[in-house]
Amino acid sequence: MQTQSSISFPIVDYPLTEGSFVSQALAQRLAPPSDALEAAVREAYSQVTAKGVQAIVEYTAKHDHPGFTKKDIFVSQEDVASYVRSLTPALRSAIDCAVANVSAVNKHIAESLTPWKLKLSDGHTVGERVHPFETVLLWTPARKGPLVSTAIMLCTAAAAAGVQRIIVATPPTHSGKPDANTLAAAHLAGATDFVCGNGLAVIASA
């Protein structure tokens, strides 16, 4: 098992002072959603309920890529395999290293979540039972830039937990296709199915 990578990345330190970039960004994230945003989200859910896959196509064509069609939603296993083959040796090494380390941590967490049962009296028993979902849909953003690390963290955790079907969804890039490195990393981290489309519409369809 590979646990180290030869790749090194610079660490950028942003001060968390009043008025700084980070503090402003955090303030925006902590602000409650506007009425207009909530209405837009509710409308998206209504459209997906009414139109199904067609709503995903329409939202993606409007907000992400104008040439998006129904055939672009589901990414084939053949395409994902080609994405994995296209990884540079350095990036493949970094992904393998990250998957191994994140998997080790998540398996340790999963093993520590042991079921328990306590009988309080006849017919009165309490306890906890931990088991994975059968299927999960994991959203990995990639519009402003590919988030390979997000795909690794989410998929590896789900795989370590024992989820059987791990669906990864991501938006199309400027080319109209999903980011190849993101889906390659997701596959190597345990993802089984791959979807491309507008984030709000895809999540509303889950």
Side-chain angles (χ1 to χ4, degrees), residues 15 19 31 41 48 59 85 146 163 166 186 201:
V41 171
V48 170
Y59 267 81
R85 290 193 298 270
V163 178
I166 302 172

Short mmCIF file of all heavy atoms in Angstrom, two decimals, residues 15 19 31 41 48 59 85 146 163 166 186 201:
data_model
loop_
_atom_site.label_atom_id
_atom_site.label_comp_id
_atom_site.label_asym_id
_atom_site.label_seq_id
_atom_site.Cartn_x
_atom_site.Cartn_y
_atom_site.Cartn_z
N PRO A 15 -4.94 35.10 6.39
CA PRO A 15 -5.28 35.53 7.76
C PRO A 15 -6.78 35.68 7.94
O PRO A 15 -7.48 36.19 7.07
CB PRO A 15 -4.56 36.88 7.87
CG PRO A 15 -4.47 37.37 6.46
CD PRO A 15 -4.27 36.14 5.61
N GLY A 19 -12.42 41.78 7.64
CA GLY A 19 -12.26 42.40 6.32
C GLY A 19 -11.42 41.59 5.36
O GLY A 19 -11.31 41.96 4.19
N ALA A 31 -24.63 33.56 5.94
CA ALA A 31 -25.85 34.35 5.79
C ALA A 31 -27.01 33.44 5.41
O ALA A 31 -26.84 32.48 4.66
CB ALA A 31 -25.65 35.42 4.73
N VAL A 41 -34.95 27.21 -5.65
CA VAL A 41 -34.70 25.82 -5.29
C VAL A 41 -36.00 25.03 -5.30
O VAL A 41 -36.07 23.91 -5.83
CB VAL A 41 -34.02 25.72 -3.91
CG1 VAL A 41 -33.95 24.26 -3.44
CG2 VAL A 41 -32.61 26.31 -3.97
N VAL A 48 -38.27 19.03 -11.56
CA VAL A 48 -37.73 17.67 -11.63
C VAL A 48 -38.82 16.65 -11.33
O VAL A 48 -38.90 15.59 -11.98
CB VAL A 48 -36.54 17.51 -10.65
CG1 VAL A 48 -36.13 16.05 -10.55
CG2 VAL A 48 -35.36 18.35 -11.12
N TYR A 59 -32.15 22.42 -17.12
CA TYR A 59 -31.40 23.22 -16.15
C TYR A 59 -29.92 23.26 -16.51
O TYR A 59 -29.25 24.29 -16.38
CB TYR A 59 -31.59 22.67 -14.74
CG TYR A 59 -32.72 23.32 -13.99
CD1 TYR A 59 -34.04 22.92 -14.20
CD2 TYR A 59 -32.50 24.35 -13.08
CE1 TYR A 59 -35.09 23.52 -13.52
CE2 TYR A 59 -33.53 24.96 -12.41
CZ TYR A 59 -34.83 24.55 -12.63
OH TYR A 59 -35.86 25.16 -11.97
N ARG A 85 -7.09 5.94 -17.48
CA ARG A 85 -5.89 5.70 -18.28
C ARG A 85 -5.20 7.00 -18.66
O ARG A 85 -3.97 7.02 -18.88
CB ARG A 85 -6.24 4.92 -19.54
CG ARG A 85 -6.65 3.46 -19.29
CD ARG A 85 -6.67 2.68 -20.59
NE ARG A 85 -7.65 3.21 -21.55
CZ ARG A 85 -8.91 2.81 -21.62
NH1 ARG A 85 -9.37 1.88 -20.78
NH2 ARG A 85 -9.74 3.33 -22.51
N PRO A 146 -11.58 21.82 -10.95
CA PRO A 146 -11.80 20.42 -10.54
C PRO A 146 -11.47 20.21 -9.06
O PRO A 146 -10.46 20.71 -8.57
CB PRO A 146 -10.85 19.63 -11.45
CG PRO A 146 -9.82 20.62 -11.87
CD PRO A 146 -10.50 21.94 -11.94
N VAL A 163 -20.99 1.04 1.55
CA VAL A 163 -22.06 1.38 0.60
C VAL A 163 -21.82 0.60 -0.70
O VAL A 163 -20.72 0.62 -1.25
CB VAL A 163 -22.08 2.89 0.31
CG1 VAL A 163 -23.15 3.22 -0.71
CG2 VAL A 163 -22.31 3.68 1.59
N ILE A 166 -22.34 3.59 -5.23
CA ILE A 166 -21.88 4.96 -4.98
C ILE A 166 -21.98 5.74 -6.29
O ILE A 166 -21.21 5.51 -7.23
CB ILE A 166 -20.43 4.97 -4.46
CG1 ILE A 166 -20.32 4.14 -3.17
CG2 ILE A 166 -19.96 6.41 -4.22
CD1 ILE A 166 -18.90 3.95 -2.70
N ALA A 186 -12.75 9.56 -8.55
CA ALA A 186 -13.93 8.98 -7.92
C ALA A 186 -13.98 7.47 -8.15
O ALA A 186 -14.29 6.70 -7.24
CB ALA A 186 -15.19 9.64 -8.47
N ALA A 201 -30.48 20.45 -10.08
CA ALA A 201 -31.42 19.53 -10.71
C ALA A 201 -31.08 18.08 -10.40
O ALA A 201 -31.97 17.27 -10.13
CB ALA A 201 -31.44 19.76 -12.21
#
